[in-house]
Amino acid sequence: MDFFLEFPELGRHTLAAMRKAIDTSFIHFSREYGAALEAFFYPLLQFMIWFEKLLLSTPWPIILLIIGGLAWFGSRSVKITVGSVIAMALIGIFGMWEDTMATLAIVSVATLLCVVIGIPIGIVMARFERAQSVITPILDVMQTIPSFVYLIPVVMLLGIGKVPGLLAVCIYAIPPIVRLTNLGIRLVDRDVLEAADAFGASPRQKLFSVQVPLALPNIFAGVNQTIMMALSMVVIASMIGVRGLGVPVLKAISNQYLSLGLMNGLAIVALAIIFDRVSQTYGQRLQAYRKGFGDE
Amino acid sequence: MSEAKIEIKNLYKVFGDHPSKVIELVQDGISKTDLLEKHGHILGLKDISLKIPNREIQVIMGLSGSGKSTLIRHINRLIEPTAGEIWIDNEDVTAMSQAALRDLRRFKTSMVFQKFALLPHRTVIENVAYGLSMQGVPEAEAHKRAMHWIERVELNGFENNYPGQLSGGMQQRVGLARALATDAEILLMDEAFSALDPLIRTGMQNILLGLQEELHKTIVFITHDLDEALRLGDNIAILRDGEMVQDGSPQDIVMRPADDYVSEFIKDINRGRVIKVGSLADPAASASDGAPIIVADTALETALSTLVAAPGQSCRITKKDGSDLGTLTLERAVAALHAPAG
């Protein structure tokens, strides 16, 4: 009966030996290649530092103007533009300007990186069934695995700092852009694709003249999701040395500073709402052609 | 009939996982049901051979599921044949490389679709210029030529609108202009007017016939509508369950239906309007002196009143050039109005 009551697990010694073998081999790996990896990511680090410095050294009125301008360019809505500027001004007044700039820097760089890597992966997935069946489960793992788990090897390899933080954010934030690019391209009307074929479009011409433009609304929904997820990683990223709004939140958790946590948390929310509204309305404007005469 | 522009030779299409494994069974004449039940494959087209004459309108007609849309997609190889050949201008389309096929689609054929299939994110002029841009025509030149065709289909003023802002009939005029703009010799029209309202459809047919009068393209026109087929077609091929039932001129189809299926098809048409007196002329009979003359391509309907008034109720039928074809009596004309039984 014992056999059925206790799960027949591997012995304690076997498990310990197995874990030790994996851990030591990874430690060896990180000693061997850690420096090389750091060198590989060095340009990225330089770019992040440069961007953060740029945001911090620019006078705040200019930043406000740029944010207002981007909001207007994206949404063409007075409400959203004014709302964004007021939200940013409040953040400044409550003394969170520098942290917000740091967060803005990492979220922007992470989003950029996700878009640059994610869209081509999505295109490949849409093109080849094989790629889709391999990549989909990887995306599932990336989205569901607790972030702390992959923080361990990342920190072992690259230590604490901006680059491992950026990687952690990207691992979490890249799946939606990949998925929605893939989905968007797959949803493109077959009839239109057939027409492109009938007029002799090459696969490349078809991709750029039909598939990507028609998938843009979905791709934009992906960008929007990626930004949101990057923002939500800010606190966790701060645990491995990324500066920004996450740092005071972390401090507030460990010291039970209610107001400090609340204020910085709300600043993250404000950033999220600005990004979301602006990118969503921009995505909708991309679909202007779907409107009939009456809606103009 | 002039020389063939497109020649389809013994074309077969089998849908399924391994068409090449069952094609021999199909060629040996296995029935459609047996193929599906015993081998899990669907017979799309069976032994189609058709010569499509240069610069004429070839209609391919059949009900849904008859394989007509599959057939037209073989001409520019949007669908790969399982067996058989398609020759265009002495080139075997089925043997073409991908690059040669793209050139065929860019320069020699163009297509109009049932559901229009316009690019929704591009304006009317950009849509019409699409084929030209695939040909590598620079944008300014492409837009200039596109504008010409937009004017020809009377859409001037709408060139900067998006397709979604146009009515169905207008969208299909864009589709037609897009196909014509590439200057391709062959125009493939897949149920091009079927999605339109009857009145708009007649208007589109008139536009097409008007354009064809001066352009003289080789047009392959798919339809399920016999009236449309009779109106447009210089030749009509009738498909049923993937097989060709009859191939001939509209007069042939109406006067000499090949089988019950075709008879059923033509049962309800207005025979008086379709039948031309030329096909009824009896060269043996002689008309009384002073009998009126009717030109051969006059519709029977129109000729009836002349016949009734004519002395001896018979007329002489002549070709346009005046050469004699024979005589038509009222009795014979009335008999022709009645559909052949069964």
Side-chain angles (χ1 to χ4, degrees):
Chain A
M1 273 314 274
D2 265 7
F3 182 80
F4 293 101
L5 290 174
E6 290 279 333
F7 201 95
E9 59 190 15
L10 293 170
R12 201 148 33 109
H13 292 291
T14 328
L15 282 174
M18 197 183 80
R19 281 199 297 263
K20 200 174 165 202
I22 294 174
D23 289 351
T24 45
S25 63
F26 191 78
I27 289 169
H28 279 300
F29 174 80
S30 66
R31 278 198 193 129
E32 199 81 19
Y33 298 101
L37 275 172
E38 255 175 72
F40 175 77
F41 287 116
Y42 187 70
L44 199 61
L45 179 67
Q46 288 300 306
F47 178 67
M48 277 179 67
I49 291 173
W50 171 79
F51 192 62
E52 199 180 318
K53 270 192 186 151
L54 180 74
L55 284 180
L56 281 171
S57 60
T58 311
W60 62 267
I62 295 182
I63 299 275
L64 275 187
L65 262 176
I66 292 173
I67 286 174
L70 284 177
W72 175 251
F73 168 78
S75 65
R76 295 289 151 83
S77 149
V78 179
K79 211 169 86 185
I80 291 175
T81 309
V82 172
S84 305
V85 173
I86 290 176
M88 290 306 289
L90 283 176
I91 284 172
I93 288 170
F94 285 106
M96 296 176 289
W97 186 261
E98 288 192 10
D99 283 341
T100 303
M101 287 305 113
T103 296
L104 213 54
I106 188 164
V107 169
S108 312
V109 175
T111 306
L112 205 68
L113 203 62
C114 288
V115 166
V116 168
I117 298 172
I119 291 180
I121 295 178
I123 290 172
V124 170
M125 274 174 85
R127 183 86 172 273
F128 304 104
E129 289 304 322
R130 263 308 265 283
Q132 172 167 265
S133 59
V134 171
I135 295 172
T136 306
I138 298 178
L139 294 178
D140 293 338
V141 171
M142 285 163 74
Q143 276 186 302
T144 48
I145 196 167
S147 337
F148 296 108
V149 175
Y150 58 77
L151 283 184
I152 303 165
V154 169
V155 170
M156 280 170 80
L157 276 174
L158 297 164
I160 279 178
K162 283 189 177 19
V163 169
L166 182 71
L167 284 188
V169 172
C170 282
I171 291 174
Y172 185 66
I174 205 172
I177 179 94
V178 177
R179 280 187 209 276
L180 282 157
T181 302
N182 175 31
L183 179 76
I185 290 179
R186 282 173 185 269
L187 285 181
V188 169
D189 191 353
R190 288 187 170 280
D191 292 333
V192 180
L193 281 180
E194 188 181 47
D197 274 331
F199 282 95
S202 63
R204 198 190 168 79
Q205 286 171 324
K206 222 163 45 174
L207 182 68
F208 290 114
S209 74
V210 182
Q211 289 170 306
V212 169
L214 287 181
L216 266 190
N218 272 311
I219 294 177
F220 246 82
V223 173
N224 175 287
Q225 286 302 301
T226 292
I227 297 174
M228 293 302 109
M229 293 181 79
L231 265 173
S232 67
M233 274 294 280
V234 161
V235 176
I236 288 173
S238 71
M239 293 176 74
I240 53 171
V242 176
R243 295 178 47 205
L245 291 166
V247 178
V249 171
L250 213 57
K251 201 158 88 186
I253 295 171
S254 45
N255 296 304
Q256 300 185 0
Y257 295 151
L258 172 68
S259 54
L260 182 72
L262 209 57
M263 269 163 53
N264 287 279
L266 286 177
I268 295 176
V269 172
L271 279 186
I273 292 178
I274 294 173
F275 273 128
D276 179 66
R277 295 298 183 273
V278 171
S279 64
Q280 237 179 49
T281 43
Y282 182 67
Q284 280 163 6
R285 283 205 299 121
L286 281 178
Q287 305 178 63
Y289 60 82
R290 288 177 201 269
K291 287 185 189 165
F293 268 130
D295 311 321
E296 270 185 333
Chain B
M1 196 191 278
S2 53
E3 64 186 295
K5 178 80 173 173
I6 306 167
E7 190 172 357
I8 299 168
K9 290 181 183 168
N10 305 100
L11 187 73
Y12 286 86
K13 177 66 188 177
V14 178
F15 294 102
D17 296 335
H18 306 288
S20 53
K21 285 186 183 166
V22 295
I23 183 65
E24 282 184 16
L25 292 170
V26 176
Q27 282 167 334
D28 289 341
I30 189 175
S31 80
K32 204 170 174 164
T33 357
D34 279 355
L35 184 71
L36 182 60
E37 282 172 7
K38 292 184 188 155
H39 303 278
H41 282 70
I42 293 165
L43 183 57
L45 292 172
K46 184 179 179 186
D47 200 12
I48 304 283
S49 294
L50 180 64
K51 284 184 182 175
I52 296 172
N54 199 9
R55 297 176 176 280
E56 287 185 14
I57 301 182
Q58 168 77 52
V59 170
I60 296 171
M61 199 182 69
L63 301 177
S64 50
S66 61
K68 53 192 192 304
S69 288
T70 308
L71 180 58
I72 200 173
R73 279 168 176 69
H74 277 87
I75 295 174
N76 58 358
R77 227 175 94 190
L78 285 175
I79 296 179
E80 294 286 335
T82 310
E85 294 168 5
I86 296 126
W87 291 78
I88 296 179
D89 288 341
N90 302 318
E91 265 188 293
D92 185 359
V93 177
T94 51
M96 281 182 180
S97 66
Q98 285 300 321
L101 191 58
R102 274 203 291 276
D103 273 349
L104 175 89
R105 291 171 180 171
R106 282 176 186 166
F107 295 100
K108 206 161 238 176
T109 68
S110 63
M111 200 159 180
V112 185
F113 299 86
Q114 178 174 13
K115 290 176 193 153
F116 321 138
L118 302 172
L119 306 173
H121 61 295
R122 295 195 173 195
T123 59
V124 166
I125 192 161
E126 287 166 346
N127 264 288
V128 176
Y130 187 72
L132 292 170
S133 69
M134 291 300 119
Q135 290 180 347
V137 177
E139 191 177 295
E141 169 70 14
H143 277 219
K144 207 180 98 197
R145 283 202 240 165
M147 204 52 223
H148 167 75
W149 288 105
I150 288 172
E151 280 162 17
R152 288 305 305 267
V153 297
E154 293 164 20
L155 278 178
N156 5 357
F158 291 97
E159 59 270 14
N160 292 321
N161 284 107
Y162 288 99
Q165 299 169 326
L166 306 180
S167 70
M170 290 160 94
Q171 288 190 39
Q172 195 57 306
R173 278 188 270 162
V174 178
L176 188 60
R178 173 175 70 174
L180 292 170
T182 64
D183 264 332
E185 298 158 30
I186 298 170
L187 190 56
L188 304 171
M189 303 185 74
D190 178 28
E191 299 226 31
F193 305 151
S194 299
L196 305 176
D197 297 335
L199 269 180
I200 311 270
R201 191 188 307 181
T202 315
M204 289 296 290
Q205 290 165 356
N206 289 335
I207 292 177
L208 181 67
L209 287 172
L211 286 166
Q212 174 66 354
E213 208 136 281
E214 78 186 78
L215 298 173
H216 298 294
K217 291 187 184 281
T218 305
I219 301 178
V220 182
F221 194 99
I222 301 283
T223 181
H224 59 252
D225 176 359
L226 185 69
D227 285 323
E228 188 168 65
L230 294 170
R231 185 135 189 259
L232 298 176
D234 295 311
N235 295 285
I236 300 175
I238 298 180
L239 285 185
R240 178 197 189 182
D241 290 342
E243 287 182 70
M244 182 106 80
V245 185
Q246 189 169 7
D247 166 30
S249 71
Q251 301 293 304
D252 278 344
I253 306 276
V254 175
M255 300 296 290
R256 287 174 288 279
D259 63 7
D260 294 352
Y261 180 74
V262 182
S263 308
E264 188 65 27
F265 241 124
I266 60 172
K267 196 178 61 179
D268 295 324
I269 56 151
N270 183 346
R271 299 171 63 85
R273 195 171 297 165
V274 176
I275 298 172
K276 306 279 187 273
V277 290
S279 60
L280 295 173
D282 181 359
S286 59
S288 51
D289 284 343
I293 293 171
I294 307 176
V295 183
D297 63 357
T298 311
L300 183 53
E301 195 180 54
T302 326
L304 278 177
S305 54
T306 322
L307 270 172
V308 172
Q313 297 186 318
S314 65
C315 293
R316 274 200 326 129
I317 311 294
T318 63
K319 284 192 188 164
K320 268 190 186 143
D321 58 19
S323 62
D324 201 62
L325 276 174
T327 310
L328 175 62
T329 61
L330 182 61
E331 195 184 351
R332 198 178 163 86
V334 171
L337 281 176
H338 182 71

